[in-house]
Amino acid sequence: LDATQRAKIGSLQSKNNKDITFHVNDIHSGALNLFHESFYAAGFTPESFRLHVSNVDCYDLDVEVSDDTPIQDFVVVNPPWGVRLMTDDMVSSWKSLRYFVRDTLASSVSDNTEFWLLSGNKLAPQSYLRLKRNRMIPVQTGDINLRWIQYTIHNQNSSSSKQQNAEQREQDEDDVDNNNTNNNNDDDIIDDQ
């Protein structure tokens, strides 16, 4: 099947499926307006599935898990690429995303949740998230080289995540030591496209 046919099949299967819950968030209201336009243009309605839309910094985003809200199995994020936002906004956005992924999300997802990140910045994902990637798929949008990066997020309460967390803490300590030795700062990370 070609991509268009697969999209139509997926769209039909997902409509009126109350087992699917989408949490949509963006700090910029214009991006949420674009989401709403695209949502309705694709033929979806608020009755199609459970939809939660919020307009907050992801640092403040609370993903509540309850009996009527299933645990997230698949997460997609699109942080700033460094094209429209200034360096300070980029640093703040990536730090907020790190907190969301490593603290908020890791305590509310099922174990082995797929986490996909669309990045236009080569160094920011590893420098800020410090996660081990599963794979990377290069894509191009106009003259911007992007990459879809896949990670696996482990629930902090699961037994498999305890080893992952210990390894990650050790890696973070090594990274801090290396950064102190090299005198790198956040602006160096963001400015290198």
Side-chain angles (χ1 to χ4, degrees), residues 102 130 162-178:
R102 295 183 63 167
R130 298 183 184 129
K162 291 180 182 175
Q163 177 65 27
Q164 292 273 340
N165 289 342
E167 291 172 4
Q168 190 61 54
R169 276 192 300 276
E170 187 175 304
Q171 179 64 42
D172 287 351
E173 290 170 6
D174 290 344
D175 289 346
V176 168
D177 291 342
N178 290 338

Side-chain angles (χ1 to χ4, degrees), residues 21-84:
T21 301
F22 285 99
H23 292 270
V24 178
N25 178 67
D26 203 295
I27 194 168
H28 299 287
S29 58
L32 290 176
N33 290 338
L34 182 61
F35 162 76
H36 282 290
E37 290 172 15
S38 301
F39 179 79
Y40 290 110
F44 293 111
T45 66
E47 294 77 34
S48 300
F49 35 72
R50 289 178 283 205
L51 179 66
H52 304 278
V53 179
S54 57
N55 182 214
V56 299
D57 185 324
C58 62
Y59 184 90
D60 300 318
L61 187 60
D62 185 21
V63 181
E64 293 183 22
V65 178
S66 64
D67 292 338
D68 65 337
T69 305
I71 294 174
Q72 283 64 47
D73 297 315
F74 192 82
V75 178
V76 180
V77 298
N78 181 9
W81 304 339
V83 175
R84 293 184 309 252

Side-chain angles (χ1 to χ4, degrees), residues 1 3 15 36 48 51 55 73 76 84 92 98 101 119 121 128 149 153 164 174 180 189:
L1 296 175
K15 286 184 181 179
H36 282 290
S48 300
L51 179 66
N55 182 214
D73 297 315
V76 180
R84 293 184 309 252
S92 175
R98 175 179 57 209
V101 171
S119 177
N121 186 299
Y128 287 101
I149 306 171
I153 304 298
Q164 292 273 340
D174 290 344
N180 288 339
I189 293 165

Side-chain angles (χ1 to χ4, degrees), residues 78-83 117-122 125 136-149 193:
N78 181 9
W81 304 339
V83 175
L117 175 115
L118 180 62
S119 177
N121 186 299
K122 291 187 276 190
M136 182 177 67
I137 303 169
V139 294
Q140 184 150 353
T141 299
D143 61 349
I144 302 173
N145 293 319
L146 305 171
R147 41 204 87 53
W148 277 108
I149 306 171
Q193 291 291 320

